[in-house]
Amino acid sequence: MQFSSRTKKFTTNSQTELYSHPLLFYVQPPLENISLVEFETFAVERLKLLKTIENLGVSYVKLSDQYIKKLEAESKALNFLYRTEATGLLPNGGSETLVYTTEVDLFRYRFNDLYPKQKLEFLHRNNLQYDTISVEEKKALHDKLVSSSYAFSGITVEDQDFYKVPFQDALDLVRLRKVYLKAGYVYIPHQEIVTIVLNDFRTRLSKALALTARSLPAVHSDERLQPLLNHLSHAYVGQDYSNQKNVGKISLEQIDSLSGKSFPLCMRQIHQSLRENHHLRHGGRMQYGLFLKGIGLSLEQALQFWRSEFIKGKVDADKFDKAYAYSIRHMFGKEGKRTDYTPYSCMKVILSNAPSQGDYHGCPFRHSDPELLKQKLQVYKVSPSGIIQILELIKGMHYQLACQKYFELTHNVEEASFSLNHPNQYFIESQKVLAGGRDIKRETDAPQKPQENSTKAPSAAPEAAANTQDVAEMTEELDSFFQDA
Amino acid sequence: MPASDYDSACLPDILPLYYRRLFPFSQYYRWLNYGGVQKNYFQNREFSFTLKDDIYVRYQSFTTQNELEKEMQKMNPYKIDIGAIYSHRPNQHNTVKSGTFQALEKELVFDIDMTDYDDVRSCCSAAEICPKCWTLMTIAIRVLDRALRDDFGFQHLLWVYSGRRGVHCWVCDKAARKLSVAARSAVAEYLSLVKGGDETMKKVVLSDPIHPFIRESLVVVERYFPLYALQDQDILGRKESVDKHLHVRKQLQQDFQNEKKPENRWNLLKDQAKRKQATSKKGQHFEKEIMLQYCYPRLDVNVSKGVNHLLKSPFSVHPKTGRISVPIDLKELETFDPFAVPTISMICEELDRPRTVEEEDKSEETIDKENEKDAAESRKIRDYKRTSLAKYVKCFDQFLDVMARSWKGELLKKSDLQKDF
């Protein structure tokens, strides 16, 4: 990537061949030079798009009609954006993953949009050569192929070519058991080839991200880019609740009452099971331990907390110090490679590390049986009509909204003034309500500016960015955009 | 020999004996060296030891079989874990530039633990096991072994008894060792059917069409379900399971009064389900879901996912039970009895038995043949053969023999390539 070079003119047509196909595979980095202003513009637009996709992803079933419509609404910027890719924009670990997954979503949408002929062309351009199976073999496997996915009818099997692909190249299909797998090969009809392509895309994107991350020191040392990059990164990911500003503000005695008043349901549940069983498995320890760190527990407090609880169970003090203390210190970044782990966001709790037998972590709105959840909410004195609303939201897979509704019902506010995406955010907002008796009306933290209204609709080139010294202004606009999201 | 004769307090005394005379080092090295096909494969392998007083040391590595032997005989580890093959020698990892020391390869592993089945077994809980619930392990091995071979094409699977309450599977194929984290997690999820924690009542949900993998697994499960669930766990006789999982209607409960035989009760239950299925879409796969919930293997995805995950080594001793982590011969799976697995005290005692006349003659013969070899050394090599450990080492040997054929092919390929230059 040419970011280290300074402002140059926008070179043209020699590159158009490369970009003539509507989709890119990130093999070649963009070879054009762009001005700093254009870079900022595209970066902002790209981020807005990715953020929209990320927000959509959790509450909509992927590729449903509404999802696609929303994507189409954003697609004006797409073509332009694909020409100058700001992929390597965000070097921080967490945001890299988010960029990565949303870029993949975008790619999937775009690929599905291509005509079959274009799809084939794309495959060949990118060297994905897989063998098809013979008619005889297809016949022999007919029943198995049909029953391997609800999308495959007998007609599909007869009409289409089936490819034999090594399972390592089709992990998504394997993971969800969407294809027939035999002797290490999956049998995929032509129509499903998009998943294979996606895997390839993922690998290349991953490599590209890694490459740019390595060259990032050069980029980062560029003073003009540095503040923008830092701010973009922070704005995109939002608060990660890892700052230790509020360390020591919570005492251990408060935890029990706080768990009933200000903890989101997931943490309340974990805390209760910890008190009841005097034990918690790894998944629960991570989710809850990091949450506690986020609300302000210090390492010493955490050690005391876990130790006193585990001792009541089957673990003696000695064993605790040897086995569990290490992992708690690890959470606080005091062991191993010293990563200071950040508390899990709602997305992470919902999407990764699902609980199994003997676990109490996860998101109750996502992972609990609706019947059991209903009983639990009754015990926690949520009104019957409230429970119904929550169950409705769950049916629609709006887990975070369900939790938000839980917040509203338990705090007696009509409408939450925030958009829930993090358990620690829940805690902070809850404490705010309990302390201030605040008005429901929203108050943004960013200073109000007259330009704010005009930036609500995504525009291709905010005029304010004409002057590079207006980085500060632009970042404020960005802030307010992400608060609206 | 009753297990009660083992006492963990004796470990400091008998571990040295075990490592000096019984641990099958040459087979162990043969395995982990993988035919020497890849350079430094053994040297870059991480081992971790748990020593006396719970001292845990990671990043142990060895350059030769001899060094491994000497170190183990010096440290007498209570527990041995095997980790990944790294980019550099693990015992030098501190000298490596930060970020470049990485786990590269490892066998694909599975850990089936009996505690994960506590909600579907009434005979035992937590760390206890008994013949009634051991069937779950048999089922797990059959289902997974079939799937890993037939569906994924793996061929070199080593099943090992963990020593207390479960089994491990080491998939040693080259392709398996090279799998990425994402691939391992995909394999584990493909193999997972039972989902949900304590809060979830219905842990298996099937929808049409039933994937061939599920069909094949059901074939295995159906074979064992009557014995395990209906008979040994008596799920249709216990109020708890009847209420929790089986939604037995009042009418049926009355019918149960007249029908005590579990198999017949099961038939009645299936009939009830069939009648429901005729009228509503729900519950289409009721019986299948029940059978799977009770019997289908529950594996810990996190164990299988990580390339750098450390897992208990075969032939390691389990400090709490004294049992050796022995390979399981699948040809004798139905008769495998975890309570008959030798303990370390047992085999050490067997060593002290006076040799029979035949054994003496035999050993004389072979010493004549091996004149060059140190006599004591060869006697040591044959020591395990005098104990109950023998048949398990033999099983391990057979596993290695099959794998060795593939190494031969690899080495030939490699030397061919080199000849071209």
Side-chain angles (χ1 to χ4, degrees):
Chain A
M1 293 207 173
Q2 298 286 331
F3 294 133
S4 51
S5 55
R6 303 312 185 211
T7 314
K8 280 205 181 118
K9 60 190 182 325
F10 200 102
T11 59
T12 49
N13 298 317
S14 56
Q15 313 304 338
T16 48
E17 222 248 12
L18 200 60
Y19 298 105
S20 60
H21 197 276
L23 268 187
L24 268 192
F25 230 18
Y26 296 121
V27 177
Q28 304 263 30
L31 297 172
E32 301 152 15
N33 299 317
I34 57 168
S35 73
L36 218 50
V37 170
E38 284 161 318
F39 170 64
E40 285 166 13
T41 311
F42 299 145
V44 168
E45 278 315 302
R46 187 58 166 192
L47 274 181
K48 284 183 185 171
L49 176 58
L50 293 179
K51 186 73 175 172
T52 313
I53 294 175
E54 184 212 335
N55 284 337
L56 289 174
V58 179
S59 51
Y60 288 83
V61 176
K62 304 252 167 142
L63 295 187
S64 72
D65 283 344
Q66 295 146 307
Y67 186 48
I68 292 180
K69 281 207 188 80
K70 290 240 174 186
L71 280 180
E72 280 172 352
E74 302 287 350
S75 70
K76 268 189 293 173
L78 266 174
N79 271 322
F80 199 33
L81 286 172
Y82 262 100
R83 294 180 179 260
T84 47
E85 204 41 68
T87 329
L89 198 53
L90 303 167
N92 308 328
S95 45
E96 213 173 74
T97 321
L98 286 171
V99 168
Y100 177 85
T101 46
T102 46
E103 287 283 357
V104 168
D105 272 350
L106 207 49
F107 182 89
R108 183 195 284 123
Y109 164 67
R110 300 265 327 160
F111 185 82
N112 274 329
D113 217 28
L114 293 176
Y115 293 117
K117 184 165 160 289
Q118 291 172 308
K119 278 184 186 164
L120 257 178
E121 210 178 86
F122 185 82
L123 284 179
H124 291 154
R125 267 179 184 234
N126 291 283
N127 286 322
L128 292 168
Q129 311 277 16
Y130 295 120
D131 291 331
T132 53
I133 61 175
S134 66
V135 179
E136 292 82 36
E137 201 178 345
K138 235 206 290 186
K139 248 199 207 146
L141 297 175
H142 184 271
D143 288 336
K144 300 234 162 71
L145 293 174
V146 170
S147 60
S148 59
S149 168
Y150 64 86
F152 302 173
S153 64
I155 303 180
T156 315
V157 174
E158 278 150 23
D159 280 351
Q160 294 197 27
D161 270 335
F162 267 74
Y163 295 85
K164 213 169 128 173
V165 175
F167 84 88
Q168 292 91 331
D169 291 354
L171 292 179
D172 275 346
L173 295 174
V174 170
R175 180 190 306 275
L176 298 171
R177 236 180 278 119
K178 275 188 177 171
V179 276
Y180 179 55
L181 172 64
K182 185 170 107 151
Y185 286 91
V186 290
Y187 292 75
I188 307 192
H190 187 86
Q191 74 190 35
E192 290 293 310
I193 216 73
V194 61
T195 323
I196 309 301
V197 172
L198 263 183
N199 265 338
D200 223 76
F201 175 75
R202 273 203 186 88
T203 323
R204 297 182 199 227
L205 179 58
S206 195
K207 289 202 183 121
L209 277 175
L211 266 173
T212 46
R214 270 186 236 147
S215 66
L216 228 40
V219 179
H220 254 198
S221 57
D222 187 329
E223 291 142 6
R224 297 168 302 162
L225 287 177
Q226 203 170 15
L228 179 62
L229 284 178
N230 284 339
H231 200 96
L232 281 172
S233 154
H234 187 259
Y236 179 72
V237 173
Q239 263 253 56
D240 58 3
Y241 302 96
S242 66
N243 57 21
Q244 294 284 295
K245 275 196 299 205
N246 44 357
V247 174
K249 288 213 185 124
I250 310 277
S251 78
L252 292 184
E253 296 75 45
Q254 290 177 286
I255 293 187
D256 277 320
S257 87
L258 280 175
S259 77
K261 284 192 288 188
S262 288
F263 282 11
L265 192 61
C266 55
M267 303 302 174
R268 187 175 183 179
Q269 182 173 291
I270 296 181
H271 179 76
Q272 191 168 354
S273 77
L274 174 63
R275 287 283 190 230
E276 276 170 24
N277 304 322
H278 309 301
H279 188 269
L280 207 54
R281 281 193 178 180
H282 183 259
R285 292 202 303 270
M286 286 303 284
Q287 187 177 326
Y288 191 41
L290 288 171
F291 170 77
L292 289 174
K293 181 171 90 154
I295 68 172
L297 237 59
S298 69
L299 173 59
E300 291 68 43
Q301 285 178 306
L303 284 168
Q304 200 186 330
F305 173 72
W306 291 100
R307 196 168 190 266
S308 67
E309 198 54 55
F310 272 51
I311 286 180
K312 291 185 202 153
K314 298 195 199 150
V315 177
D316 62 59
D318 227 27
K319 173 154 187 207
F320 178 86
D321 288 332
K322 278 172 192 160
Y324 298 98
Y326 177 89
S327 87
I328 295 167
R329 283 199 302 274
H330 204 279
M331 255 187 251
F332 278 76
K334 297 282 182 278
E335 298 281 356
K337 57 180 181 180
R338 306 279 193 288
T339 314
D340 201 5
Y341 291 95
T342 54
Y344 295 174
S345 64
C346 288
M347 266 253 282
K348 179 150 184 174
V349 171
I350 292 171
L351 293 177
S352 59
N353 204 17
S356 37
Q357 173 58 28
D359 286 324
Y360 295 93
H361 62 266
C363 171
F365 301 103
R366 163 75 177 87
H367 296 120
S368 277
D369 231 29
E371 254 318 299
L372 285 172
L373 180 65
K374 182 169 159 195
Q375 286 169 21
K376 186 159 278 178
L377 291 172
Q378 282 166 342
V379 169
Y380 290 156
K381 300 202 177 63
V382 177
S383 70
S385 61
I387 295 181
I388 293 178
Q389 286 178 53
I390 290 180
L391 291 175
E392 272 307 307
L393 285 166
I394 291 179
K395 250 202 233 162
M397 292 169 64
H398 308 303
Y399 309 117
Q400 284 156 271
L401 290 176
C403 190
Q404 217 168 290
K405 174 62 58 183
Y406 169 77
F407 179 94
E408 288 162 5
L409 293 163
T410 50
H411 291 74
N412 239 321
V413 298
E414 229 182 80
E415 209 189 293
S417 61
F418 61 97
S419 187
L420 181 66
N421 58 37
H422 201 294
N424 287 89
Q425 177 194 23
Y426 184 107
F427 179 79
I428 290 174
E429 293 294 332
S430 167
Q431 291 283 286
K432 270 194 209 157
V433 168
L434 293 172
R438 239 168 56 138
D439 216 25
I440 304 164
K441 283 270 155 46
R442 70 175 302 160
E443 286 173 44
T444 55
D445 293 330
Q448 302 286 340
K449 283 211 135 195
Q451 290 135 311
E452 226 176 88
N453 289 329
S454 67
T455 59
K456 282 219 193 294
S459 49
E463 270 74 74
N467 190 343
T468 52
Q469 274 117 13
D470 280 13
V471 168
E473 262 183 18
M474 174 179 274
T475 53
E476 274 162 11
E477 286 165 10
L478 206 57
D479 267 340
S480 67
F481 174 79
F482 285 118
Q483 281 184 347
D484 286 343
Chain B
M1 174 192 264
S4 53
D5 281 335
Y6 166 75
D7 183 358
S8 57
C10 70
L11 276 180
D13 299 318
I14 52 178
L15 275 175
L17 191 58
Y18 179 65
Y19 290 126
R20 233 167 271 284
R21 292 175 65 185
L22 294 166
F23 189 93
F25 282 108
S26 82
Q27 286 86 347
Y28 198 65
Y29 178 80
R30 190 180 173 212
W31 171 34
L32 295 174
N33 191 39
Y34 283 97
V37 173
Q38 274 173 255
K39 218 175 117 165
N40 289 325
Y41 218 56
F42 181 78
Q43 291 76 4
N44 289 349
R45 169 82 73 167
E46 179 192 0
F47 296 84
S48 76
F49 293 155
T50 306
L51 310 174
K52 195 154 167 234
D53 297 325
D54 274 333
I55 296 173
Y56 182 65
V57 288
R58 266 193 79 172
Y59 300 113
Q60 305 297 296
S61 61
F62 314 98
T63 46
T64 60
Q65 173 185 334
N66 206 35
E67 193 183 310
L68 171 74
E69 277 190 53
K70 294 275 179 310
E71 285 303 305
M72 276 174 64
Q73 283 156 2
K74 199 163 75 182
M75 294 200 252
N76 289 306
Y78 276 38
K79 282 198 259 192
I80 305 169
D81 288 339
I82 300 179
I85 291 131
Y86 282 79
S87 49
H88 306 74
R89 291 191 190 178
N91 64 5
Q92 295 174 349
H93 74 284
N94 284 321
T95 66
V96 174
K97 182 164 147 211
S98 143
T100 46
F101 178 68
Q102 302 200 354
L104 299 177
E105 296 188 13
K106 192 177 67 75
E107 294 77 8
L108 171 64
V109 295
F110 297 94
D111 181 348
I112 318 287
D113 189 331
M114 201 68 95
T115 36
D116 290 339
Y117 294 81
D118 278 357
D119 62 319
V120 290
R121 54 174 186 151
S122 52
C123 50
C124 307
S125 70
E128 311 161 321
I129 59 169
C130 75
K132 283 188 183 166
C133 50
W134 184 259
T135 316
L136 288 169
M137 294 295 113
T138 309
I139 299 172
I141 295 176
R142 290 252 180 256
V143 169
L144 295 175
D145 195 76
R146 183 215 70 78
L148 289 165
R149 286 179 196 281
D150 294 351
D151 294 15
F152 286 98
F154 295 126
Q155 297 175 315
H156 306 293
L157 276 60
L158 180 69
W159 286 95
V160 182
Y161 172 53
S162 75
R164 190 158 69 145
R165 63 187 192 215
V167 295
H168 300 156
C169 180
W170 295 77
V171 185
C172 301
D173 297 56
K174 181 163 133 180
R177 288 180 266 132
K178 292 189 185 304
L179 289 175
S180 64
V181 171
R184 286 163 206 260
S185 130
V187 173
E189 287 190 47
Y190 176 91
L191 297 170
S192 300
L193 274 181
V194 181
K195 306 207 168 127
D198 276 348
E199 305 291 305
T200 313
M201 284 297 112
K202 193 155 179 259
K203 296 194 164 89
V204 180
V205 179
L206 298 179
S207 52
D208 283 317
I210 306 272
H211 191 277
F213 163 76
I214 300 179
R215 275 195 206 287
E216 294 293 334
S217 307
L218 271 167
V219 169
V220 178
V221 165
E222 274 165 4
R223 264 194 1 234
Y224 292 92
F225 179 77
L227 168 68
Y228 173 70
L230 299 180
Q231 206 175 293
D232 287 343
Q233 297 295 323
D234 195 20
I235 61 175
L236 292 177
R238 282 171 196 283
K239 189 176 190 314
E240 212 200 318
S241 36
V242 162
D243 291 341
K244 246 201 317 183
H245 296 132
L246 302 172
H247 309 299
V248 179
R249 286 184 159 161
K250 265 221 168 77
Q251 172 61 45
L252 200 57
Q253 298 213 11
Q254 287 182 358
D255 292 341
F256 274 15
Q257 299 296 342
N258 306 327
E259 187 51 76
K260 297 293 182 192
K261 275 182 96 178
E263 286 86 6
N264 295 339
R265 282 188 173 184
W266 177 243
N267 288 329
L268 286 174
L269 188 61
K270 282 199 279 189
D271 288 339
Q272 176 197 281
K274 226 175 249 150
R275 271 173 272 144
K276 258 211 265 179
Q277 285 161 13
T279 54
S280 85
K281 253 203 132 190
K282 271 171 75 172
Q284 282 302 317
H285 301 294
F286 177 72
E287 323 89 72
K288 298 191 173 71
E289 287 164 347
I290 296 289
M291 288 195 283
L292 292 171
Q293 179 151 341
Y294 274 89
C295 299
Y296 185 85
R298 300 168 179 211
L299 42 94
D300 185 349
V301 176
N302 289 318
V303 167
S304 309
K305 244 183 11 190
V307 178
N308 56 0
H309 186 95
L310 290 149
L311 186 65
K312 187 156 190 278
S313 167
F315 296 104
S316 179
V317 182
H318 196 298
K320 293 213 174 78
T321 61
R323 301 215 190 262
I324 311 290
S325 276
V326 292
I328 300 176
D329 186 350
L330 260 58
K331 295 196 287 291
E332 323 229 316
L333 183 58
E334 305 300 324
T335 51
F336 180 82
D337 178 6
F339 298 99
V341 169
T343 61
I344 184 175
S345 6
M346 177 173 156
I347 54 180
C348 286
E349 220 173 283
E350 285 169 347
L351 262 186
D352 285 338
R353 264 192 328 221
R355 286 165 162 237
T356 64
V357 175
E358 290 168 317
E359 280 176 330
E360 284 295 339
D361 287 341
K362 248 200 180 150
S363 71
E364 287 308 316
E365 271 174 40
T366 34
I367 282 185
D368 287 337
K369 283 188 196 142
E370 303 159 355
N371 276 327
E372 307 88 44
K373 258 190 183 165
D374 181 41
E377 168 101 10
S378 49
R379 187 165 286 140
K380 179 180 75 182
I381 289 169
R382 285 165 292 123
D383 264 342
Y384 71 80
K385 290 194 184 165
R386 301 175 53 222
T387 69
S388 310
L389 199 59
K391 75 171 187 179
Y392 300 101
V393 179
K394 185 159 173 221
C395 173
F396 191 46
D397 270 326
Q398 286 166 350
F399 164 75
L400 292 172
D401 287 338
V402 174
M403 249 205 319
R405 287 183 230 143
S406 65
W407 301 335
K408 252 196 176 161
E410 293 285 322
L411 284 168
L412 278 172
K413 251 196 272 172
K414 261 189 148 188
S415 65
D416 275 347
L417 286 170
Q418 283 161 355
K419 281 194 194 123
D420 283 354
F421 299 103

